[in-house]
Amino acid sequence: MEQEIDTQELGEKIVKVIKTIYDPEIPVDIYELGLIYDVMVNTDREVKILMTLTTPNCPVAESLPQEVKEKVASIDMVKDAEVEITFDPPWSQDLISEEARLELGLL
């Protein structure tokens, strides 16, 4: 019998990993930028991440979701990772965390 996993603990690990991924144009990690809309973890240790990009023509539109998927999938407890891109709602500066706004001089 597989041991029950703590989905919240795994969720926190996933967020930590996501915070190591940066948007190439803005020196802030994609989590603080508000590009991650949702992280779903089920008890089968499958992860689905719903994210957006700063613009649909973002130069890393191909590589950024792939990097998120690979880094999250490399976590020991994760069996499978899937990244879905959405532009609904579209990303705006309102989604940037207060900490990142300070860093970017937006406050």
Side-chain angles (χ1 to χ4, degrees):
M1 194 170 145
E2 273 193 51
Q3 95 187 59
E4 273 292 302
I5 65 150
D6 184 337
T7 52
Q8 188 179 349
E9 182 191 335
L10 183 52
E12 286 167 13
K13 278 187 174 158
I14 291 165
V15 167
K16 263 192 189 133
V17 166
I18 290 172
K19 284 185 169 194
T20 67
I21 303 170
Y22 284 78
D23 184 292
E25 297 174 344
I26 310 169
V28 172
D29 71 74
I30 61 172
Y31 190 83
E32 296 295 336
L33 269 183
L35 295 181
I36 303 296
Y37 287 168
D38 204 356
V39 174
M40 295 154 276
V41 181
N42 68 19
T43 49
D44 289 335
R45 299 178 300 162
E46 293 163 340
V47 180
K48 183 170 182 186
I49 295 166
L50 187 62
M51 68 176 287
T52 193
L53 301 167
T54 49
T55 66
N57 314 334
C58 180
V60 291
E62 294 293 310
S63 60
L64 197 61
Q66 190 58 36
E67 184 181 356
V68 171
K69 179 183 165 117
E70 285 171 6
K71 284 197 170 168
V72 169
S74 73
I75 299 171
D76 284 348
M77 291 165 70
V78 172
K79 183 170 102 185
D80 190 37
E82 182 188 333
V83 174
E84 185 180 320
I85 299 289
T86 183
F87 292 103
D88 181 28
W91 180 83
S92 74
Q93 290 193 352
D94 299 342
L95 297 170
I96 300 175
S97 72
E98 208 165 292
E99 188 183 313
R101 284 169 192 250
L102 274 173
E103 208 173 297
L104 294 169
L106 296 174
L107 282 183

